[in-house]
Amino acid sequence: MKISYNWLKQFINTDWDAEKTGELLTDLGLEIEGIETYESVKGGLKGIVIGEVLTCQQHPNADRLKITTVNIGGDKPLQIVCGAPNVAAGQKVPVATIGTTLYTAEGEAWKIKKGKIRGEESHGMICAEDELGLGESHDGIMVLDADTKVGTLASELFKIENDDVFEIGLTPNRADAMSHYGVARDLKAGLLQKEISLELITPSVSSYHVDARALKIDVDVKDYEKAPRYCGVTISGLKVETSPAWLQHRLKSIGLSPINNLVDITNYVLHELGQPLHAFDADKITERKIIVKTCEAGTKFTTLDGVERELHEEDLMICDANKPMCIAGVFGGIDSGVTEHTTRIFLESAYFNPVSVRKTAKRHGLNTDSSFRFERGIDPNLTEYALKRAALLILEIAGGEITSDIVDAYPKKIKDFEVRLSFDNAKKLIGEEIPKETIKSILSSLDIKVNNVTETGLGLTVPAYRNDVQREADIIEEILRVYGYNNIATTTKLNASISNSSRFEDYKLQNIIGNQLASQGFFEIMSNSLTTPKYVELSEDLNADHNVKMLNPLSNDLEVMRQSLLFSGLEAVAHNINRKRDDLKLFEFGKTYHQYSETREEYKHLSLFVTGNKTEERWNAAASPSDFFYLKGSVEVILERLGLTKLKSAPIKSDVFSEGMSFSIGKKKMVDFGLVKKSVLKHFGINQNVLFADFNWNNVIEMAQHNKIKFKAIPKYPEVKRDFALLLDNHVTFEEIHTIAKQTEKQLLKNVNLFDVYEGKNLPSGKKSYAVSFILQDDNKTLNDKQIDKIMSKLQANFESKLGAELR
């Protein structure tokens, strides 16, 4: 938000420089992100002085040039070569001296230098309007009044506006500071704490009166919940034209482009007082009637930007007897606004429900100065005052007369907030005791009324426009920000409590696994928990009745809470693939949300997404595509890192996988993983395989807590490796081989590994070959051949008897 310092000084007459004022505003919670310089004329006419042409003679070497001598109030006149056809002796003219920087119409800078033009020296430049930025004329030099004093600075003569503009990073809760008046109110309170007492100057509306009751427009508010207060008045006999310079400068300084005097005044009052206004062309209001209501869903309405929009049934509209004219608090319509032909207006000033305006603005993708303020909550008691202020400015600038009484539809007054402040609680939260008189002074300076005072606290009334100050803690925060955080002494003693913390807390396990996945080349993603209800249609495992629906959804695509991390993850995968990032390894810690008949439940998950190549192509190795076994390895490593090794595997039973597997411990499912179905991927426009793993993180945390850390010494004795090449039936799995091997030798067999699989010619039909390695080790001694051969014989015998295996 931009705040003009010159404008601010109209409310509070301070002589502080802008930088010092900015520091105080930052201390008050209105953080100044930067201070810009505004000049009504670029360059500020620095180096331009008023001179008098003493002599003017023809240039000896050029027909279109003149040699002049110009007195600018210095020791001696300057010789200046000038090519303007209207230059003559006796004229008072603006002169750019040596070193002056001028600007082209495009904003490019160029400097006046001493030089020779066709052999004659020139020590400056006599300027035209466009060269100074004071107009567009370039027919000749600018000739000033004869009584203009020589040596006068052009910046003083032409009253150049120089201003400092604050860029305030306004937090959403500070709706009270969304205007120059609101910022001045805070500045007054801050200065008071520095023992500088200044009056807050407010524009007078005492001269407001009705000139003639000649144009009455009736107002009918159908929905007071969405429009608690609605004011309006008619003004006739207006002349729409360009705004005066002072008004244009005020708007330009904060980044607004002037349009015409009526629209500029409504914008001026909005940024002056924080009250949005809207002017309707009264001759375009059919039957002289304003109706504040909602319209039927699907009603077409064209806004000022020329875009035809389809209205929602909850959009509050300002209508006449036949048609909608404006989206209340958001944007005007193209057919009811002020034009150069407008002579009569209905001027609106209202308080609209913040939630209603916010929903409407979001639905239509609109963000205007008006909606920005209405969404955060303006002052409902400023509505009529701002209307009178704007009406008086219109009479002053655009002429005309007030032709109706003010309509003020305000059936239920918005109440101020009653809050009780305890001095003890203030001391506890602030950290030190602030004098009671200082507290009362601060609160009074913020328009917070002190109703009663006791030994223990204060009874307070907070004005309705401070909708962020409704609790005792809010009051204490107000006291502290005005008193000054820097004025609170820093303690020299630091007290800390030591609390018991389990090493199995969720965030600790997430950090462990997150770091491990990152070291494997995975990237963490964070997806929105809000999603579209259409995703439940992609899986029979999900139920639309279990959707947790939002009461005030921002859009149809963010209407429910997600029941699965799969679809939000696939959105991220599709987003990256569409930007030529085909090789992805992603993970996300998140929650799913479910609505059941009597309760709502949320569950923690860890999801993995793998697609494309798992390794990049290099000079010494080809690219290696990701496959099911790569994902399986990543899943097993995660569980192993948490000590979850006694896993039971089973085929997947989810309809989002074309093939997959699940791991469980007892009756607790740890993870489902596999290859996502093509039909699901097609919905997201993904044309390559995607592998997905979904960990039930609640179960993982629960089972991880049952593991006890065991320590043992590193074996001193060597391990022995033996291999079998087994001829097996096709239906035999490695898991069966692993189980039989472990049952055969429980003490010395340390590891079983499948390192080669062969299926093809030279093998009997229905057979396959597994090459399996066995690691044997005794922790207490070196194994001899006799022991090793005995174990291998047992393994061979069991494989033959239980699996029908043959050694190749």
Side-chain angles (χ1 to χ4, degrees), residues 53-103:
V53 180
L54 301 178
T55 63
C56 180
Q57 299 176 349
Q58 182 66 44
H59 193 295
N61 302 318
D63 294 339
R64 296 186 179 184
L65 297 180
K66 305 283 179 61
I67 299 175
T68 66
T69 56
V70 183
N71 174 23
I72 63 169
D75 295 335
K76 60 179 181 178
L78 302 177
Q79 177 173 300
I80 299 175
V81 176
C82 179
N86 64 328
V87 63
Q91 294 174 337
K92 298 289 180 67
V93 293
V95 178
T97 56
I98 300 298
T100 299
T101 300
L102 297 178
Y103 297 87

Side-chain angles (χ1 to χ4, degrees), residues 101-115:
T101 300
L102 297 178
Y103 297 87
T104 66
E106 293 75 26
E108 295 181 7
W110 57 286
K111 186 174 287 188
I112 302 296
K113 298 178 182 179
K114 177 183 176 182

Side-chain angles (χ1 to χ4, degrees), residues 40-42 45 103 128-136:
S40 57
V41 173
K42 191 171 181 63
L45 299 185
Y103 297 87
E129 280 186 5
D130 64 333
E131 292 165 336
L132 297 178
L134 295 174
E136 298 180 358

Side-chain angles (χ1 to χ4, degrees), residues 34 110 123 140 250 283 285 293 302 347 370 407 447 461 505 520 524 551 580 638 746 778:
W110 57 286
H123 298 268
R250 286 286 177 263
D283 292 322
I285 302 174
K293 64 177 183 177
T302 304
L347 186 62
S370 292
V407 177
D447 290 349
T461 299
E505 289 189 31
Q520 293 175 236
E524 185 172 10
L551 294 176
K580 304 302 181 182
I638 291 172
K746 296 180 180 180
D778 192 327

